[in-house]
Amino acid sequence: MRFLLLCISFLIFHLSFSQNDNIVDFGQNLIHENKLDEAISYYNKHVIEPANQKQKINLLLGLAEIYKLQLDYDTANDYYIKAFDNIKTINNNQLEFLYYVKMAEFFRKRTMLVESAAELEKAAYILKDYKVQVLYLAKYYNRKAAIFTEFYHINDSTLFYANKSLNLAKKIKDEDNVFYSLLEIAGVYERKKEYNTSIFYLEEIIEFAESNNMEQQEADAYISYIMALARNNQLEKALKKALYAASFSKENDLLYNEIIFNENIQNLYFRLNNTEKAYEYLKYRLELTTKYNEIKKEELLLNIEGKYRLKEQENQIKINTLEIRNKNKELVANRINLYVSIGLFLFAFFIIAVITYFLKRTRKSNKRLQSLSQENEFLLSEANHRINNNLQLVVILITNQLKKTTEKEGIHLKNILTKVEAISTLHKHLYKSEDKKKVDTASYLNDVKISFFDVFKDNDIITNFNIASVEIPIDHAMYFGLLLTELLINSIKHAFYKQDIKTIDFELQAINGYLLFNYTDNGTTSLNKTITPKLIDKICRQLETDYKISTSNGFAFSLSKKIINE
């Protein structure tokens, strides 16, 4: 009686309750009444031109719900994806929350429980930051109860969330959530083996579904009810209810439920030792299963055929549209071609006039530039000639000063002289070269070596130079020349002490875009000593490169520098 009063009060409230969207609510009623084909037609009609984006999303979710109930999971998933894409365009947290709850049930229905739990976690994140509508919150707690039943197997949690969902559903008179929350509670008592309590709840649930024309839900409740009776060893009553439920499912075209009830009938007859009846219903169940598979197969073929025809129609429409567009484009193109032709003629005439004018100016400018270029070449030649003379003058002055100084005092002047000669040599190569920005390493460094010829001869030093021919920027060349000069001076002055054989080896190689600079002498004065020549260090810093010095076998210096030619 208590439950009957609840139903009556619910119906009274329902009549006076103003719905937010009558179109969506009417479709939901069709689903509750198991009029799925009619619901699909209704939803498809209204989803074409919805009143607003929110209504469109609810219609798409409704279509997904219908196909889920028909076990057409691929089509259902397509509609869920469309709904989610539309939700993202309006950034509605309420509908996004509802979407995750419905996806949790979608995965649970397919026994994909890990994915179902993950969708509920996404909904929980929204719930932390936003106040969710009571209707959606009731659905969320209901699905939480289901996942604790099937995935976590925690009865107390199932009971907790089912009661939360039930209380919220009663407040807003939501038949669907009232039904499924009570079904979860009944399931908890059944798992606790409190069968009488479970049966009591299930009988009220069936009465509630019947009074609200919820055919599909009523059939689902009968499944749990019959199983509870069977587990409580009320086999005769279970059989009676199973026979009624099978007939009820047949009347309401619930083929899938009919198969399940016939399987229950078969098992109950086996338990009641009525083998003949058991085999009779086994045979009938197999026939129903075959029929169900054929229907699904036919639905699949019809769906594929429908999609193919729809695709053909869409393609034909596209072809017709393209043909019309192409004709319009041709007309526009012909008109444009005429205008373009006239424009090109006028433009060509204008360009010819402009070119003629500028050609005259260009001839005058070229004559002037040629004159300036010749003048610049003369001035540059004169400047290089004077720079070369000045460098030679500096060399002569230092040489004359050397004659007037003692040998000890002349050492410093000789060092300066060799460096000036290295720079003078560089300038000579630059002056002779057609490219004023680069110098050939082989030609330049061999000339630096020649400037030391007399010194090598006087000191009985054998030299082995192997220098690759590479064009490098003038600033790099200057530093390589100064570096080689400084190394040669250091070897001549400090490397050899009472040695019969004195050798200096120098090699400059170009490998993979790098210049490899290797200098060695066989002097004994620096063996196993740590040497840090200051000037060499400064030159290497100017070159922006690291170097290595080894004194384990004479003196050895090496570095590598990337060649940058612009």
Side-chain angles (χ1 to χ4, degrees):
M1 288 299 295
R2 175 174 59 82
F3 209 79
L4 184 60
L5 290 170
L6 174 65
C7 294
I8 293 168
S9 63
F10 180 87
L11 288 170
I12 293 169
F13 179 85
H14 187 71
L15 290 171
S16 61
F17 187 74
S18 176
Q19 295 293 330
N20 291 329
D21 195 329
N22 292 326
I23 290 173
V24 174
D25 292 337
F26 185 80
Q28 286 295 313
N29 288 334
L30 290 175
I31 295 172
H32 290 156
E33 293 170 10
N34 199 44
K35 298 176 182 178
L36 300 183
D37 291 335
E38 187 179 342
I40 289 173
S41 177
Y42 177 82
Y43 273 113
N44 279 324
K45 176 184 174 182
H46 287 91
V47 82
I48 296 170
E49 293 184 0
N52 50 55
Q53 275 293 95
K54 186 176 179 181
Q55 186 184 85
K56 182 179 180 181
I57 291 162
N58 280 304
L59 291 169
L60 290 169
L61 290 172
L63 283 165
E65 182 79 12
I66 295 166
Y67 285 110
K68 182 193 75 178
L69 291 171
Q70 290 184 335
L71 308 183
D72 186 352
Y73 296 126
D74 289 338
T75 306
N77 188 57
D78 290 341
Y79 279 108
Y80 278 127
I81 291 169
K82 289 177 182 178
F84 186 70
D85 290 341
N86 280 273
I87 289 167
K88 284 299 183 186
T89 61
I90 63 173
N91 194 25
N92 189 309
N93 295 304
Q94 300 289 336
L95 289 175
E96 187 175 354
F97 179 87
L98 176 63
Y99 166 79
Y100 290 135
V101 173
K102 285 189 173 291
M103 285 302 294
E105 173 57 19
F106 177 63
F107 285 123
R108 190 201 67 80
K109 185 85 172 175
R110 298 168 66 187
T111 66
M112 299 168 67
L113 300 179
V114 174
E115 290 81 356
S116 179
E119 293 298 317
L120 287 175
E121 282 298 316
K122 293 175 185 177
Y125 282 126
I126 295 175
L127 189 58
K128 287 179 183 178
D129 300 325
Y130 300 97
K131 187 176 180 180
V132 176
Q133 292 179 22
V134 176
L135 175 63
Y136 301 159
L137 198 57
K139 294 179 187 293
Y140 168 73
Y141 286 133
N142 186 274
R143 294 305 83 202
K144 284 279 283 189
I147 207 69
F148 271 102
T149 295
E150 299 178 31
F151 187 49
Y152 300 115
H153 308 293
I154 304 173
N155 287 328
D156 290 340
S157 295
T158 299
L159 204 57
F160 173 76
Y161 285 113
N163 276 311
K164 288 191 76 166
S165 177
L166 179 62
N167 292 332
L168 292 172
K170 285 179 179 179
K171 284 181 182 180
I172 59 171
K173 304 298 184 281
D174 180 6
E175 304 111 313
D176 206 42
N177 274 320
V178 168
F179 173 83
Y180 284 111
S181 297
L182 286 168
L183 195 63
E184 290 294 338
I185 293 169
V188 171
Y189 287 114
E190 184 183 345
R191 288 189 295 279
K192 289 184 174 183
K193 299 185 179 180
E194 297 179 23
Y195 297 120
N196 289 328
T197 306
S198 177
I199 289 166
F200 171 76
Y201 272 101
L202 287 164
E203 286 173 346
E204 290 195 338
I205 292 166
I206 290 167
E207 186 180 351
F208 176 75
E210 186 178 359
S211 64
N212 286 284
N213 297 320
M214 301 167 72
E215 287 87 0
Q216 180 65 59
Q217 288 86 340
E218 186 178 345
D220 292 341
Y222 265 114
I223 294 171
S224 299
Y225 181 47
I226 292 161
M227 290 175 66
L229 288 170
R231 286 173 180 148
N232 201 28
N233 290 318
Q234 298 183 44
L235 301 181
E236 293 290 347
K237 186 175 180 180
L239 180 60
K240 181 181 177 181
K241 296 297 180 182
L243 288 165
Y244 169 78
S247 176
F248 173 82
S249 298
K250 188 173 183 180
E251 288 174 8
N252 290 281
D253 295 323
L254 302 172
L255 182 57
Y256 184 74
N257 289 82
E258 189 182 355
I259 292 168
I260 293 173
F261 290 130
N262 276 280
E263 185 179 6
N264 287 333
I265 294 167
Q266 167 205 329
N267 292 332
L268 287 166
Y269 272 125
F270 268 122
R271 290 184 66 180
L272 290 167
N273 297 316
N274 191 339
T275 309
E276 185 179 347
K277 279 286 186 182
Y279 279 115
E280 179 185 334
Y281 276 92
L282 171 61
K283 182 180 177 183
Y284 184 55
R285 180 174 67 84
L286 292 173
E287 289 175 0
L288 289 174
T289 304
T290 303
K291 180 182 176 182
Y292 178 79
N293 290 333
E294 288 296 325
I295 290 170
K296 286 297 166 187
K297 182 179 177 182
E298 187 177 345
E299 285 179 356
L300 179 62
L301 290 172
L302 287 172
N303 188 36
I304 292 170
E305 186 179 351
K307 287 181 179 178
Y308 176 74
R309 287 178 180 174
L310 181 62
K311 195 68 178 176
E312 275 192 335
Q313 290 175 358
E314 288 176 354
N315 288 336
Q316 188 60 47
I317 291 169
K318 287 180 180 178
I319 290 168
N320 293 338
T321 304
L322 286 172
E323 286 178 354
I324 293 168
R325 286 179 181 174
N326 286 335
K327 287 179 180 179
N328 289 334
K329 285 180 180 178
E330 284 178 9
L331 292 172
V332 173
N334 290 335
R335 193 178 296 113
I336 290 171
N337 287 336
L338 177 62
Y339 294 149
V340 168
S341 299
I342 295 169
L344 287 174
F345 175 77
L346 294 172
F347 182 72
F349 180 78
F350 173 74
I351 290 296
I352 291 169
V354 171
I355 290 172
T356 303
Y357 171 74
F358 278 104
L359 279 173
K360 289 179 180 179
R361 289 194 62 181
T362 303
R363 288 193 191 98
K364 291 180 181 178
S365 297
N366 286 341
K367 289 179 180 179
R368 177 63 180 160
L369 287 172
Q370 188 176 3
S371 175
L372 289 172
S373 177
Q374 290 172 353
E375 186 178 338
N376 285 336
E377 285 181 9
F378 171 76
L379 291 172
L380 181 62
S381 175
E382 186 65 21
N384 283 325
H385 179 68
R386 294 194 178 191
I387 290 168
N388 187 57
N389 288 343
N390 288 337
L391 287 170
Q392 292 299 320
L393 179 60
V394 171
V395 170
I396 292 167
L397 289 172
I398 295 171
T399 305
N400 290 336
Q401 189 64 34
L402 276 171
K403 294 175 182 178
K404 300 175 183 178
T405 59
T406 62
E407 184 177 350
K408 186 176 181 181
E409 292 173 341
I411 292 173
H412 297 295
L413 287 174
K414 286 180 180 178
N415 288 344
I416 295 170
L417 180 62
T418 53
K419 292 176 179 63
V420 172
E421 286 179 338
I423 294 171
S424 177
T425 302
L426 174 64
H427 181 267
K428 181 180 68 175
H429 281 272
L430 182 63
Y431 175 49
K432 292 179 180 179
S433 173
E434 291 182 2
D435 188 345
K436 304 302 180 184
K437 293 182 180 180
K438 298 174 185 176
V439 173
D440 180 72
T441 53
S443 177
Y444 170 49
L445 294 179
N446 275 315
D447 277 359
V448 172
K449 172 192 172 185
I450 290 168
S451 66
F452 283 87
F453 180 77
D454 292 335
V455 180
F456 293 148
K457 186 176 179 182
D458 293 342
N459 290 275
D460 297 324
I461 297 172
I462 300 169
T463 59
N464 296 301
F465 278 51
N466 181 17
I467 303 169
S469 178
V470 183
E471 286 194 342
I472 61 174
I474 183 172
D475 54 343
H476 289 175
M478 179 183 73
Y479 289 122
F480 276 119
L482 291 173
L483 184 61
L484 179 60
T485 300
E486 183 65 16
L487 288 168
L488 289 169
I489 291 169
N490 286 346
S491 293
I492 294 164
K493 286 172 58 180
H494 307 295
F496 309 110
Y497 179 72
K498 296 182 179 180
Q499 287 181 237
D500 294 331
I501 299 174
K502 306 171 188 176
T503 60
I504 294 175
D505 296 311
F506 172 62
E507 184 178 41
L508 186 72
Q509 293 180 298
I511 300 175
N512 296 327
Y514 281 85
L515 278 178
L516 305 182
F517 186 107
N518 294 298
Y519 177 93
T520 59
D521 66 44
N522 68 337
T524 58
T525 58
S526 61
L527 283 173
N528 300 317
K529 291 180 181 179
T530 301
I531 298 175
T532 309
K534 293 181 180 180
L535 183 57
I536 289 172
D537 184 71
K538 288 180 180 179
I539 293 170
C540 290
R541 287 186 185 181
Q542 292 296 322
L543 283 169
E544 295 180 349
T545 184
D546 295 327
Y547 62 91
K548 294 180 182 178
I549 292 177
S550 172
T551 57
S552 59
N553 186 20
F555 173 83
F557 173 89
S558 63
L559 65 79
S560 65
K561 173 66 180 176
K562 188 173 183 179
I563 304 170
I564 301 175
N565 283 323
E566 297 179 353

